[in-house]
Coordinates of all heavy atoms in Angstrom, one line a residue:
Chain E
L140 N 18.2 -25.5 -8.8 CA 19.0 -26.3 -7.9 C 19.1 -27.7 -8.7 O 18.2 -28.4 -8.9 CB 18.4 -26.6 -6.5 CG 19.3 -27.2 -5.6 CD1 20.6 -26.6 -5.3 CD2 18.5 -27.4 -4.2
G141 N 20.4 -28.0 -9.1 CA 20.4 -29.4 -9.9 C 20.3 -30.6 -9.0 O 20.2 -30.4 -7.7
P142 N 20.3 -31.8 -9.6 CA 20.2 -32.9 -8.8 C 21.4 -33.2 -8.1 O 22.5 -32.7 -8.4 CB 20.0 -34.1 -9.9 CG 20.6 -33.5 -11.2 CD 20.3 -32.0 -11.1
F143 N 21.3 -33.8 -6.8 CA 22.5 -34.1 -6.0 C 23.2 -35.4 -6.4 O 22.5 -36.4 -6.8 CB 22.0 -34.2 -4.6 CG 21.8 -33.0 -3.9 CD1 21.7 -31.8 -4.7 CD2 21.4 -32.9 -2.5 CE1 21.4 -30.6 -4.0 CE2 21.3 -31.7 -1.8 CZ 21.3 -30.6 -2.6
R144 N 24.5 -35.5 -6.3 CA 25.3 -36.6 -6.5 C 25.1 -37.4 -5.2 O 24.9 -36.9 -4.1 CB 26.6 -36.3 -6.9 CG 26.7 -35.7 -8.3 CD 28.0 -35.1 -8.6 NE 28.1 -34.3 -9.8 CZ 28.1 -34.8 -11.0 NH1 28.3 -36.2 -11.1 NH2 28.1 -34.1 -12.0
S145 N 25.6 -38.7 -5.2 CA 25.3 -39.6 -4.2 C 26.3 -39.3 -2.9 O 26.2 -39.9 -1.8 CB 25.6 -41.0 -4.7 OG 27.0 -41.2 -5.2
G146 N 27.4 -38.5 -3.1 CA 28.4 -38.3 -2.2 C 27.9 -37.9 -0.8 O 28.3 -38.5 0.3
L147 N 26.9 -37.1 -0.7 CA 26.4 -36.6 0.5 C 25.8 -37.8 1.3 O 26.0 -38.1 2.6 CB 25.3 -35.6 0.4 CG 24.6 -35.0 1.6 CD1 25.7 -34.3 2.5 CD2 23.5 -34.1 1.3
Y148 N 25.1 -38.7 0.6 CA 24.5 -39.9 1.1 C 25.6 -40.9 1.7 O 25.5 -41.3 2.8 CB 23.6 -40.6 0.1 CG 23.0 -42.0 0.5 CD1 21.9 -42.0 1.4 CD2 23.4 -43.2 0.0 CE1 21.3 -43.1 1.8 CE2 22.8 -44.3 0.4 CZ 21.8 -44.3 1.4 OH 21.2 -45.4 1.8
R149 N 26.6 -41.1 0.8 CA 27.6 -42.0 1.3 C 28.4 -41.4 2.4 O 28.7 -42.2 3.4 CB 28.6 -42.2 0.1 CG 27.9 -43.0 -1.2 CD 28.8 -43.0 -2.3 NE 30.0 -43.8 -2.1 CZ 31.1 -43.7 -2.8 NH1 31.0 -42.9 -3.9 NH2 32.2 -44.3 -2.5
L150 N 28.6 -40.3 2.5 CA 29.2 -39.6 3.7 C 28.4 -39.8 4.9 O 28.9 -40.2 6.0 CB 29.5 -38.1 3.5 CG 30.7 -37.8 2.5 CD1 30.7 -36.3 2.3 CD2 32.0 -38.1 3.0
G151 N 27.0 -39.5 4.7 CA 26.2 -39.5 5.9 C 26.1 -41.0 6.5 O 25.9 -41.3 7.6
K152 N 26.1 -42.1 5.5 CA 26.1 -43.5 5.9 C 27.5 -43.9 6.6 O 27.4 -44.5 7.6 CB 26.0 -44.3 4.6 CG 24.5 -44.3 4.1 CD 23.5 -45.1 4.9 CE 23.5 -46.5 4.4 NZ 22.4 -47.3 5.0
A153 N 28.5 -43.3 6.1 CA 29.9 -43.7 6.5 C 30.0 -43.0 7.9 O 30.7 -43.6 8.8 CB 30.9 -43.4 5.6
R154 N 29.6 -41.9 8.1 CA 29.8 -41.2 9.5 C 28.4 -40.7 9.9 O 28.1 -39.5 10.0 CB 30.7 -40.0 9.2 CG 32.1 -40.3 8.9 CD 32.9 -40.9 10.1 NE 32.8 -40.1 11.3 CZ 33.8 -39.1 11.5 NH1 34.9 -39.1 10.7 NH2 33.8 -38.4 12.6
P155 N 27.7 -41.7 10.6 CA 26.3 -41.3 11.1 C 26.4 -40.4 12.3 O 25.4 -39.7 12.6 CB 25.7 -42.6 11.5 CG 26.8 -43.7 11.5 CD 27.9 -43.2 10.8
D156 N 27.6 -40.2 12.8 CA 27.7 -39.3 14.0 C 27.7 -37.8 13.5 O 27.7 -37.0 14.3 CB 29.0 -39.7 14.8 CG 30.1 -39.6 14.0 OD1 30.2 -40.2 12.9 OD2 31.2 -39.1 14.3
V157 N 28.0 -37.6 12.4 CA 28.3 -36.2 11.8 C 26.9 -35.6 11.4 O 26.1 -36.2 10.6 CB 29.3 -36.1 10.7 CG1 29.4 -34.8 10.1 CG2 30.6 -36.6 11.2
E158 N 26.6 -34.3 11.8 CA 25.4 -33.7 11.4 C 25.5 -33.1 10.0 O 26.5 -32.6 9.7 CB 25.1 -32.6 12.4 CG 24.5 -33.0 13.8 CD 24.2 -31.9 14.6 OE1 24.5 -30.8 14.4 OE2 23.5 -32.2 15.7
L159 N 24.4 -33.2 9.2 CA 24.4 -32.8 7.9 C 23.6 -31.4 7.9 O 22.4 -31.5 8.3 CB 23.7 -33.7 7.0 CG 24.3 -35.2 7.1 CD1 23.6 -36.1 6.1 CD2 25.9 -35.1 6.7
V160 N 24.2 -30.2 7.6 CA 23.4 -28.9 7.7 C 23.2 -28.4 6.4 O 24.1 -28.1 5.6 CB 24.4 -27.9 8.7 CG1 23.7 -26.7 8.7 CG2 24.6 -28.5 10.1
P161 N 21.9 -28.2 5.9 CA 21.7 -27.6 4.6 C 21.9 -26.1 4.7 O 21.7 -25.4 5.7 CB 20.2 -27.8 4.4 CG 19.6 -27.9 5.8 CD 20.7 -28.5 6.7
V162 N 22.6 -25.6 3.6 CA 23.1 -24.2 3.5 C 22.5 -23.7 2.2 O 22.7 -24.2 1.1 CB 24.5 -24.0 3.6 CG1 24.9 -22.5 3.5 CG2 25.1 -24.6 4.9
Y163 N 21.8 -22.4 2.2 CA 21.4 -21.9 0.9 C 22.1 -20.6 0.7 O 22.1 -19.7 1.6 CB 19.9 -21.7 0.9 CG 19.4 -21.0 -0.4 CD1 19.5 -21.6 -1.5 CD2 18.9 -19.7 -0.3 CE1 19.2 -21.0 -2.7 CE2 18.5 -19.0 -1.6 CZ 18.7 -19.8 -2.7 OH 18.3 -19.2 -3.9
I164 N 22.8 -20.4 -0.4 CA 23.6 -19.2 -0.7 C 22.7 -18.6 -1.8 O 22.4 -19.1 -2.9 CB 24.9 -19.6 -1.3 CG1 25.6 -20.5 -0.3 CG2 25.6 -18.3 -1.6 CD1 26.9 -21.0 -1.0
D165 N 22.4 -17.2 -1.5 CA 21.5 -16.5 -2.4 C 22.3 -15.4 -3.1 O 23.1 -14.7 -2.4 CB 20.4 -15.9 -1.6 CG 19.3 -15.3 -2.5 OD1 19.2 -15.8 -3.7 OD2 18.7 -14.4 -2.2
N166 N 22.2 -15.3 -4.3 CA 22.8 -14.2 -5.2 C 24.3 -14.1 -5.3 O 24.8 -13.2 -6.1 CB 22.3 -12.9 -4.5 CG 21.9 -11.8 -5.4 OD1 21.7 -12.0 -6.7 ND2 21.9 -10.6 -5.1
L167 N 24.9 -15.2 -4.9 CA 26.5 -15.0 -5.1 C 26.8 -15.3 -6.5 O 27.9 -14.8 -6.9 CB 27.0 -16.0 -4.1 CG 28.7 -15.9 -4.1 CD1 29.0 -14.6 -3.4 CD2 29.3 -16.9 -3.3
N168 N 26.0 -15.9 -7.3 CA 26.3 -16.1 -8.6 C 26.4 -15.0 -9.5 O 27.2 -14.9 -10.4 CB 25.3 -17.2 -9.3 CG 23.8 -16.5 -9.2 OD1 23.5 -16.1 -8.1 ND2 23.1 -16.4 -10.3
R169 N 25.9 -13.8 -8.8 CA 26.0 -12.6 -9.7 C 27.3 -11.9 -9.2 O 27.7 -10.9 -9.9 CB 24.9 -11.6 -9.3 CG 23.5 -12.1 -9.8 CD 22.3 -11.3 -9.4 NE 22.5 -10.0 -10.0 CZ 21.7 -9.0 -9.5 NH1 21.0 -9.1 -8.3 NH2 21.8 -7.8 -10.1
V170 N 27.9 -12.2 -8.1 CA 29.1 -11.7 -7.7 C 30.3 -12.2 -8.6 O 31.2 -11.4 -9.2 CB 29.6 -12.1 -6.2 CG1 30.9 -11.4 -5.9 CG2 28.4 -11.4 -5.3
L171 N 30.3 -13.5 -8.9 CA 31.3 -14.1 -9.8 C 30.5 -15.1 -10.7 O 30.6 -16.3 -10.3 CB 32.4 -14.7 -8.9 CG 33.6 -15.2 -9.8 CD1 34.4 -14.0 -10.4 CD2 34.6 -15.9 -8.8
P172 N 30.0 -14.7 -11.7 CA 29.2 -15.7 -12.6 C 30.3 -16.6 -13.2 O 31.4 -16.4 -13.3 CB 28.5 -14.9 -13.6 CG 28.8 -13.4 -13.2 CD 29.9 -13.4 -12.3
K173 N 29.8 -17.7 -13.7 CA 30.5 -18.8 -14.4 C 31.4 -18.1 -15.5 O 30.8 -17.4 -16.2 CB 29.5 -19.8 -15.0 CG 30.0 -21.3 -14.6 CD 28.8 -22.2 -15.1 CE 29.3 -23.6 -14.9 NZ 28.2 -24.5 -15.0
G174 N 32.6 -18.4 -15.6 CA 33.5 -18.0 -16.6 C 34.0 -16.6 -16.6 O 34.8 -16.0 -17.4
E175 N 33.8 -15.9 -15.5 CA 34.2 -14.5 -15.1 C 35.5 -14.6 -14.2 O 35.5 -15.6 -13.4 CB 33.2 -13.6 -14.6 CG 32.0 -13.3 -15.4 CD 32.4 -12.4 -16.6 OE1 33.4 -11.8 -16.6 OE2 31.6 -12.3 -17.5
F176 N 36.4 -13.7 -14.3 CA 37.5 -13.7 -13.4 C 37.5 -12.7 -12.3 O 38.0 -12.9 -11.2 CB 38.8 -13.6 -14.2 CG 39.0 -14.6 -15.2 CD1 38.7 -14.6 -16.5 CD2 39.6 -15.9 -14.8 CE1 38.9 -15.7 -17.4 CE2 39.8 -16.9 -15.6 CZ 39.4 -16.8 -17.0
V177 N 36.9 -11.6 -12.6 CA 36.8 -10.5 -11.4 C 35.5 -10.4 -10.9 O 34.5 -10.4 -11.7 CB 37.3 -9.2 -12.0 CG1 38.8 -9.2 -12.2 CG2 36.5 -8.9 -13.3
P178 N 35.3 -10.4 -9.6 CA 34.0 -10.3 -9.0 C 33.5 -8.9 -8.9 O 34.3 -7.9 -9.0 CB 34.3 -10.7 -7.5 CG 35.8 -10.6 -7.3 CD 36.3 -10.5 -8.5
V179 N 32.2 -8.6 -8.9 CA 31.7 -7.3 -8.6 C 30.9 -7.4 -7.3 O 30.3 -8.5 -6.9 CB 30.7 -6.8 -9.7 CG1 31.5 -6.8 -11.0 CG2 29.5 -7.7 -9.9
P180 N 30.7 -6.3 -6.5 CA 30.0 -6.3 -5.3 C 28.5 -6.5 -5.5 O 27.9 -5.9 -6.4 CB 30.4 -5.0 -4.7 CG 31.1 -4.2 -5.7 CD 31.2 -4.9 -6.9
M181 N 28.0 -7.2 -4.6 CA 26.5 -7.6 -4.7 C 26.1 -8.0 -3.3 O 26.8 -8.7 -2.7 CB 26.3 -8.6 -5.8 CG 24.9 -8.7 -6.3 SD 24.6 -7.4 -7.5 CE 25.7 -7.9 -9.0
L182 N 25.0 -7.8 -2.9 CA 24.6 -8.3 -1.5 C 24.0 -9.7 -1.7 O 23.1 -10.1 -2.3 CB 23.5 -7.4 -0.9 CG 23.9 -6.0 -0.5 CD1 22.6 -5.2 0.0 CD2 25.0 -6.1 0.6
A183 N 24.9 -10.7 -1.1 CA 24.4 -12.0 -1.1 C 24.0 -12.4 0.4 O 24.3 -11.7 1.3 CB 25.6 -13.0 -1.5
S184 N 23.4 -13.7 0.4 CA 23.2 -14.0 1.9 C 23.4 -15.5 2.0 O 23.4 -16.3 1.0 CB 21.8 -13.6 2.3 OG 20.9 -14.5 1.7
V185 N 23.7 -15.9 3.2 CA 23.9 -17.4 3.5 C 23.0 -17.7 4.7 O 22.8 -17.2 5.6 CB 25.4 -17.6 4.1 CG1 25.6 -19.1 4.3 CG2 26.4 -17.1 3.1
S186 N 22.1 -18.8 4.3 CA 21.1 -19.2 5.4 C 21.5 -20.7 5.7 O 21.7 -21.6 5.0 CB 19.8 -19.3 4.8 OG 19.6 -18.0 4.2
F187 N 21.6 -20.8 7.1 CA 21.8 -22.2 7.7 C 20.5 -22.8 8.2 O 19.7 -22.3 8.9 CB 22.8 -22.2 8.8 CG 24.2 -21.6 8.4 CD1 24.6 -20.3 8.4 CD2 25.1 -22.6 8.0 CE1 25.8 -19.9 7.9 CE2 26.5 -22.3 7.6 CZ 26.7 -21.0 7.7
G188 N 20.2 -24.2 7.6 CA 19.0 -24.7 8.1 C 19.2 -25.8 9.3 O 20.3 -25.8 9.8
A189 N 18.1 -26.4 9.6 CA 18.3 -27.4 10.7 C 19.1 -28.7 10.3 O 18.9 -29.1 9.2 CB 16.8 -27.8 11.1
P190 N 19.9 -29.0 11.3 CA 20.8 -30.3 11.0 C 20.0 -31.5 10.6 O 18.8 -31.7 11.4 CB 21.6 -30.5 12.2 CG 21.5 -29.3 13.0 CD 20.1 -28.6 12.6
M191 N 20.4 -32.3 9.9 CA 19.7 -33.6 9.5 C 20.7 -34.8 9.5 O 21.9 -34.6 9.5 CB 19.0 -33.4 8.2 CG 19.7 -32.9 7.0 SD 18.7 -32.5 5.6 CE 18.2 -34.1 5.1
R192 N 20.2 -36.0 9.4 CA 21.0 -37.2 9.3 C 20.4 -38.3 8.2 O 19.2 -38.0 7.9 CB 21.1 -37.9 10.5 CG 21.8 -37.1 11.6 CD 21.6 -38.0 13.0 NE 21.8 -37.0 14.2 CZ 23.0 -36.9 14.5 NH1 24.1 -37.4 14.1 NH2 23.3 -36.1 15.6

Side-chain angles (χ1 to χ4, degrees):
Chain E
L140 184 61
F143 280 11
R144 291 170 193 275
S145 61
L147 180 65
Y148 177 73
R149 292 171 63 196
L150 287 171
K152 287 285 266 190
R154 290 291 303 270
D156 56 314
V157 175
E158 288 183 341
L159 310 175
V160 177
V162 179
Y163 178 64
I164 306 170
D165 188 31
N166 219 19
L167 191 62
N168 56 309
R169 293 174 68 201
V170 175
L171 188 68
K173 231 172 176 165
E175 297 286 347
F176 293 96
V177 284
V179 302
M181 202 77 72
L182 293 173
S184 73
V185 184
S186 309
F187 293 89
M191 52 191 291
R192 293 170 199 276

